[in-house]
Amino acid sequence: TARATEGSTASGQARASEGSTASGRSTARNGSVASGCSDATDISTTSGECAPAPKPPTHPAGPGGPGGPGGPGGGGALARTGGVDTMAQAAAAATALGAVLLGLGRRRFAAEPVGEDV
């Protein structure tokens, strides 16, 4: 859940405060703009990719083995949330949203005088 305070904008799991803009899993403070998994402070702009998620351990499946017929968890099926195309579209949309928020933040803060009340 995004969290924005003090005239800021945030999306995704981002945190923004003091007139900043953040998206993704980033944190922006004090008039900064951040996206991805980066942190920005003191009127700066950053963007960075998130580290890949760790892969779950694999267990051999076979007759009587974990996940195999007759073994613990046998007969189960994996849930599917969508095909590769759906995941690619979601990733593209998230990337586009981050770029839009990054651009809006730059435009917003470029037009405001630094150190003056607006």
Side-chain angles (χ1 to χ4, degrees):
T1 302
R3 186 168 295 162
T5 60
E6 300 169 356
S8 300
T9 304
S11 70
Q13 297 175 349
R15 303 287 185 256
S17 63
E18 302 172 52
S20 300
T21 302
S23 67
R25 293 184 190 165
S26 63
T27 301
R29 293 183 193 92
N30 193 22
S32 298
V33 179
S35 68
C37 284
S38 60
D39 293 329
T41 58
D42 299 326
I43 312 171
S44 60
T45 302
T46 63
S47 178
E49 293 183 24
C50 298
K55 294 182 179 181
T58 58
H59 300 285
L78 295 176
R80 298 193 85 168
T81 57
V84 174
D85 291 337
T86 304
M87 289 191 301
Q89 289 171 349
T95 300
L97 177 62
V100 167
L101 288 174
L102 193 62
L104 287 174
R106 285 183 184 161
R107 191 171 110 196
R108 176 180 171 193
F109 294 111
E112 293 180 10
V114 176
E116 296 181 20
D117 291 331
V118 177

